[in-house]
Amino acid sequence: MQCNKLNNCNVILGIETSCDETGVALYDTKNIRLLDHLVYSQIDLHAQYGGVVPELASRNHLEKLPVLVEALICRNKLYYSDVKAISYTAGPGLMGALMVGASFAKALAFALNVPLVPVNHLEAHLLTPFIETGLPIFPFLGLLVSGGNTLLVLASDIGKYQILGETLDDAVGEVFDKVAKKLGFPYPGGAKLASLADQVSDSDIIFPIPMQKHPGLDFSFSGLKTYAINHIKCLEKNNYAKLAYAFQEAITKALLIKVKKAIKQNQINNFILAGGVSANKKIRQTFLHLGLEKNINTFIPPIKWSGDNGAMIAFVGSLYLERYGGIDSDKILANPRLTLENANNELWKEYGIN
Ligand code: KG4
């Protein structure tokens, strides 16, 4: 096979295995464009258990990752030797799942004698709106809403993040999934709950809005979850759509209140909404509307990049490769609790960012 269509390219392979999606992608760092990507979702594997089973996730990544990389290389008519660097998710995520991706990346980089570029999964999500343009815009206020995280951050550059607020308990996606489960949807039911909510245009169920009087920018969603679950117990099935609607409204308002507060407290020209829950239509519309109202550029990734994927890891890997080169160390960086904060962040330390 020949690297015909990719002559004159500099290809980085990106690998994502932080949770229950195995994602791989090829990004051309020279011409700044995504070449191709593949995602394998383990949802069916975990659905029967009502949530992700970490041990099963690791084993499945181990099984699928080599197959996906091979398929991606082949269908792009590449040789492995055309890969000039490898980026992988260093955290946060499930330890075993991260270790599979990191070890695979490390072994392949060693075999090919190419640089290794560890990537922070949270940063990769935040930069998904720029995968297509290849040019991230800083500074920005970012709201990251996913199954494992709810964060409000100020970003000044790659590797430079200040956390303004985060959830004190459950993440938004987690709460969507738990309430959806109570409504009878299989894991992860967030998108199905949202579709159910979209079947009605109002509701007489009133949810309390959490943390609205709380002075800071932190969030809390476990109270909303308990309120919803208790309400479902005494609700006829034909009222489930109204409950879903009211629940989605309350979550959206809780997010909106804190983002508005952050905008008031900071000079903001750019806003990014990212993460799996950014696929939610109501939440997308709300923040697009806020951007218009406040005259703030609002960036939300296309739905294909809202969930976990390899493209964001290849893209952010290419940014780090260009700025800092690869990490020349024997370490395999896999930290389930890797944060975006700079103090004591082992990943930023490796890159010499402080
Ligand atoms: O970023 P992501 O793919 O990975 C994890 O953090 O695990 O986010 C997945 C989360 C799940 O909780 C899923 O139910 C939620 O995003 N999600 C949604 C929607 N689509 C995905 N939540 C609400 N509305 C949606 N349309």
Side-chain angles (χ1 to χ4, degrees):
M1 256 176 282
Q2 220 187 343
C3 177
N4 48 8
K5 84 171 185 193
L6 300 176
N7 275 342
N8 248 341
C9 290
N10 212 351
V11 178
I12 182 168
L13 167 68
I15 292 172
E16 154 64 30
T17 62
S18 66
C19 189
D20 57 349
E21 262 95 26
T22 317
V24 295
L26 297 169
Y27 198 90
D28 174 2
T29 61
K30 192 164 167 192
N31 300 300
I32 315 181
R33 67 186 173 124
L34 179 71
L35 298 171
D36 199 4
H37 85 111
L38 283 168
V39 183
Y40 176 82
S41 171
Q42 302 178 354
I43 280 177
D44 292 344
L45 177 69
H46 301 291
Q48 57 184 309
Y49 303 103
V52 178
V53 182
E55 179 63 22
L56 292 182
S58 319
R59 285 168 187 246
N60 201 259
H61 285 306
L62 196 55
E63 194 181 309
K64 296 295 180 327
L65 186 53
V67 181
L68 287 175
V69 170
E70 179 84 10
L72 195 67
I73 297 275
C74 278
R75 81 177 192 184
N76 285 280
K77 298 186 168 45
L78 285 172
Y79 294 116
Y80 275 94
S81 56
D82 293 318
V83 172
K84 301 299 182 220
I86 299 173
S87 58
Y88 69 94
T89 302
L94 302 170
M95 188 55 179
L98 291 169
M99 279 305 290
V100 172
S103 313
F104 182 93
K106 173 87 181 157
L108 192 56
F110 180 74
L112 299 174
N113 194 22
V114 297
L116 199 54
V117 191
V119 168
N120 185 314
H121 181 81
L122 304 174
E123 176 169 50
H125 265 303
L126 284 168
L127 299 182
T128 48
F130 308 114
I131 289 176
E132 263 87 19
T133 64
L135 298 169
I137 292 170
F138 290 99
F140 64 78
L141 172 71
L143 176 65
L144 175 51
V145 276
S146 72
N149 295 279
T150 306
L151 287 175
L152 196 52
V153 300
L154 266 187
S156 54
D157 197 354
I158 60 169
K160 300 254 176 184
Y161 296 89
Q162 183 195 348
I163 297 182
L164 301 178
E166 59 194 319
T167 182
L168 300 177
D169 38 59
D170 296 354
V172 179
E174 188 184 349
V175 170
F176 260 99
D177 294 342
K178 284 184 177 154
V179 174
K181 188 175 174 187
K182 204 73 195 163
L183 290 169
F185 294 119
Y187 171 86
K192 295 190 187 77
L193 186 157
S195 301
L196 181 66
D198 292 345
Q199 288 176 13
V200 295
S201 53
D202 65 6
S203 173
D204 46 10
I205 303 170
I206 310 285
F207 272 84
I209 309 298
M211 305 286 277
Q212 62 175 327
K213 301 241 159 68
H214 194 272
L217 292 171
D218 286 331
F219 305 93
S220 167
F221 296 104
S222 76
L224 256 188
K225 174 190 68 185
T226 308
Y227 190 88
I229 288 174
N230 286 339
H231 218 90
I232 293 166
K233 285 182 196 157
C234 45
L235 210 60
E236 302 278 339
K237 264 200 161 173
N238 59 356
N239 282 322
Y240 277 10
K242 291 204 165 191
L243 180 122
Y245 178 94
F247 171 77
Q248 184 175 261
E249 286 289 309
I251 293 263
T252 308
K253 271 190 197 142
L255 294 170
L256 184 65
I257 286 168
K258 298 295 172 170
V259 170
K260 277 186 168 171
K261 217 179 228 181
I263 290 173
K264 218 174 190 177
Q265 292 172 3
N266 298 276
Q267 172 81 31
I268 309 275
N269 293 319
N270 304 303
F271 172 71
I272 287 178
L273 173 69
V277 182
S278 74
N280 183 283
K281 215 190 319 167
K282 171 74 192 176
I283 296 175
R284 288 173 91 85
Q285 283 167 354
T286 299
F287 285 104
L288 284 172
H289 186 264
L290 180 71
L292 288 175
E293 186 190 303
K294 304 270 180 204
N295 203 16
I296 291 170
N297 304 314
T298 301
F299 302 91
I300 307 176
I303 301 220
K304 66 178 172 181
W305 304 139
S306 63
D308 293 346
N309 63 81
M312 64 186 191
I313 304 302
F315 167 54
V316 174
S318 78
L319 298 175
Y320 274 82
L321 186 69
E322 194 177 306
R323 173 102 50 106
Y324 299 102
I327 298 284
D328 186 19
S329 108
D330 285 338
K331 267 190 214 159
I332 293 181
L333 278 164
N335 181 348
R337 298 191 178 279
L338 192 64
T339 74
L340 277 172
E341 298 250 63
N342 290 48
N344 303 321
N345 184 320
E346 60 185 299
L347 182 53
W348 305 149
K349 263 192 205 157
E350 288 285 338
Y351 285 114
I353 301 167
N354 49 44

